[in-house]
Amino acid sequence: KDESIDELEEELKRVTAENKKLVEMLSVVCENYNTLRSHLM
Amino acid sequence: MDYSSSWINTSLDLNINSHRVHQQLPKNVVENNFFSLEMKKSSPKEESSGALVEELKRVSAENKKLTGMLTEMCENYNTLRNNLMEYMRKNPDKESSPSKKRKSDEISSSNNNLMGGGEGGGVNGNNSESSSSDEDQSCKKPMELETCIKAKVSRVYYKQESSDSSLIVKDGYQWRKYGQKVTRDNPSPRAYFKCSFAPSCTVKKKVQRSVEDPSVVVATYEGEHNHPHPSQMESTSSGTNNRCRNPISSAVPSSAPSTVTIDWTKSKCSNESSSKKMMINNPKMEVPQILVEQMATSLTKDLNFRAALAAAISGKMLHQS
């Protein structure tokens, strides 16, 4: 049970880090999109 | 493991009848009590693992949602970029500055890097292939646009003494030198000038002595002036600015890579001095001389006359060659 809990915790950490990275990427893409849109306008 | 089905009622019945007090507890009750104690010890761990599982499910769902949003944003971005490129292709004159264009290219390349590099960790990496092909297309399109802009190039040949190494070509415009470079194909250096009306006027000039004929200086003009020629503005000048050597025909920029004009006039200083000498020595010739000079200045200012003269001279040269 302890091992499974450790595994779960590790998995959770990994997924959380991935989540954070995705959020950052999304914000960057949004910024670039807005910049390009203003440039087009 | 689901322990809910095996949940046993551990509540102790304290409503003891007097006759029950002295009875022994049955074995199954004892066993159940022992089992319930053990369950209480392990339930915090189970609760924590359950919580972890739930949290994991939640974060995974969030991850999936973010990935979907990111792919959608990238698609929208690519669509917008394609629209922008099409618009710029259709309206090259209304194009933005090259710096902004480069910025959009950098943005697109950074977006493509994000998509390609950040998706190796476990998220679907299917977008990397499409993004790389888009990047290639996007890299090609700005280059095509730049060649369209740079197509307005003209070359003018000037006669200059070999002893004069200044690379200053007097064409009526005012220039500012911003660089000099020695090229591999030509031992004489190349000087770079930009119009004094910069940054509003984006014309640039490169001046270099010709390899074939050192007495000829080649001036390459890029762009078009958005202001009138200074000689046209100065109509009452006595020729101080006309000291400059105007080419016989103005270099007409075209979509072709280059047009060639030749200026066979000598330095005006010598001409002026000689003309002045003429006037001093022969006062009787003063009036017609003035008229002749006025005619000459007015004709040189006339662009059509210059073009016709250039065509005639080039035609003669072709016959001679």
Side-chain angles (χ1 to χ4, degrees):
Chain A
K1 280 180 190 174
D2 289 338
E3 283 176 3
S4 63
I5 288 171
D6 290 339
E7 279 176 10
L8 279 172
E9 280 177 358
E10 274 181 27
E11 181 71 15
L12 185 63
K13 277 182 192 173
R14 189 186 68 78
V15 174
T16 312
E18 209 172 290
N19 206 352
K20 201 177 173 185
K21 201 173 176 184
L22 279 172
V23 166
E24 282 174 13
M25 279 164 68
L26 193 60
S27 61
V28 167
V29 171
C30 282
E31 265 180 45
N32 293 343
Y33 179 81
N34 288 332
T35 309
L36 192 64
R37 199 165 74 102
S38 60
H39 179 58
L40 178 61
M41 291 301 167
Chain B
M1 288 176 71
D2 191 7
Y3 292 96
S4 59
S5 58
S6 61
W7 183 253
I8 296 163
N9 188 6
T10 56
S11 62
L12 294 171
D13 186 9
L14 296 175
N15 292 325
I16 301 166
N17 291 327
S18 59
H19 68 275
R20 266 200 176 186
V21 172
H22 298 289
Q23 280 182 354
Q24 280 183 353
L25 288 170
K27 271 189 186 179
N28 55 356
V29 174
V30 171
E31 282 175 359
N32 285 339
N33 285 337
F34 181 72
F35 189 66
S36 67
L37 281 171
E38 277 201 345
M39 265 181 61
K40 278 181 185 175
K41 283 180 192 175
S42 61
S43 61
K45 282 187 185 175
E46 299 302 329
E47 280 176 6
S48 64
S49 64
L52 278 171
V53 165
E54 277 180 23
E55 184 71 16
L56 191 63
K57 280 181 189 174
R58 187 184 68 79
V59 175
S60 304
E62 212 172 294
N63 253 357
K64 272 185 191 175
K65 198 177 169 186
L66 281 169
T67 313
M69 280 166 72
L70 192 61
T71 48
E72 204 178 315
M73 276 300 299
C74 284
E75 277 175 21
N76 291 343
Y77 181 85
N78 286 333
T79 312
L80 190 64
R81 194 160 52 86
N82 291 335
N83 288 342
L84 180 61
M85 291 297 176
E86 273 180 32
Y87 177 76
M88 283 162 78
R89 204 187 295 166
K90 283 175 188 174
N91 299 323
D93 295 332
K94 295 176 187 176
E95 200 172 359
S96 60
S97 64
S99 62
K100 280 187 180 178
K101 216 189 330 165
R102 279 176 214 148
K103 204 175 179 183
S104 67
D105 291 340
E106 286 170 5
I107 288 167
S108 65
S109 62
S110 70
N111 274 353
N112 291 323
N113 287 334
L114 280 172
M115 289 301 293
E119 294 186 350
V123 189
N124 290 331
N126 293 330
N127 291 323
S128 60
E129 292 176 357
S130 62
S131 64
S132 61
S133 61
D134 287 341
E135 192 179 348
D136 290 338
Q137 286 175 9
S138 67
C139 286
K140 283 178 189 172
K141 285 172 190 174
M143 291 290 289
E144 290 172 0
L145 289 167
E146 282 182 8
T147 52
C148 287
I149 296 161
K150 288 182 181 174
K152 294 182 181 175
V153 173
S154 59
R155 258 187 225 159
V156 180
Y157 291 81
Y158 292 90
K159 262 290 196 198
Q160 199 180 47
E161 292 175 3
S162 308
S163 57
D164 187 5
S165 62
S166 61
L167 290 176
I168 291 171
V169 160
K170 294 180 181 176
D171 52 10
Y173 289 101
Q174 292 173 353
W175 303 92
R176 277 179 205 156
K177 192 174 178 182
Y178 67 89
Q180 189 158 318
K181 185 179 154 183
V182 177
T183 55
R184 287 179 188 177
D185 57 344
N186 197 336
S188 61
R190 183 189 289 171
Y192 295 87
F193 300 87
K194 58 182 173 183
C195 185
S196 60
F197 285 91
S200 61
C201 181
T202 59
V203 177
K204 287 182 184 172
K205 182 172 77 169
K206 290 184 251 185
V207 180
Q208 193 176 22
R209 214 167 269 281
S210 169
V211 177
E212 292 102 11
D213 188 358
S215 65
V216 170
V217 166
V218 180
T220 308
Y221 295 86
E222 290 175 11
E224 281 184 327
H225 289 282
N226 56 5
H227 54 89
H229 197 277
S231 64
Q232 289 173 0
M233 292 192 299
E234 294 170 14
S235 57
T236 57
S237 66
S238 59
T240 51
N241 283 330
N242 288 333
R243 203 176 288 155
C244 50
R245 271 178 284 156
N246 290 322
I248 292 166
S249 67
S250 63
V252 179
S254 63
S255 58
S258 63
T259 56
V260 176
T261 58
I262 300 170
D263 176 26
W264 297 108
T265 58
K266 293 180 186 176
S267 59
K268 284 263 177 161
C269 295
S270 59
N271 281 341
E272 279 184 0
S273 60
S274 61
S275 63
K276 279 179 185 174
K277 280 179 186 173
M278 285 275 290
M279 287 175 66
I280 291 164
N281 293 331
N282 298 319
K284 291 181 183 178
M285 297 287 287
E286 191 176 338
V287 171
Q289 193 72 24
I290 290 168
L291 282 172
V292 165
E293 279 184 5
Q294 282 180 356
M295 275 173 65
T297 49
S298 63
L299 282 171
T300 49
K301 284 173 194 173
D302 186 9
L303 292 171
N304 292 328
F305 177 77
R306 281 187 202 168
L309 199 54
I313 290 168
S314 58
K316 271 189 183 177
M317 284 182 67
L318 282 169
H319 281 298
Q320 285 173 3
S321 62

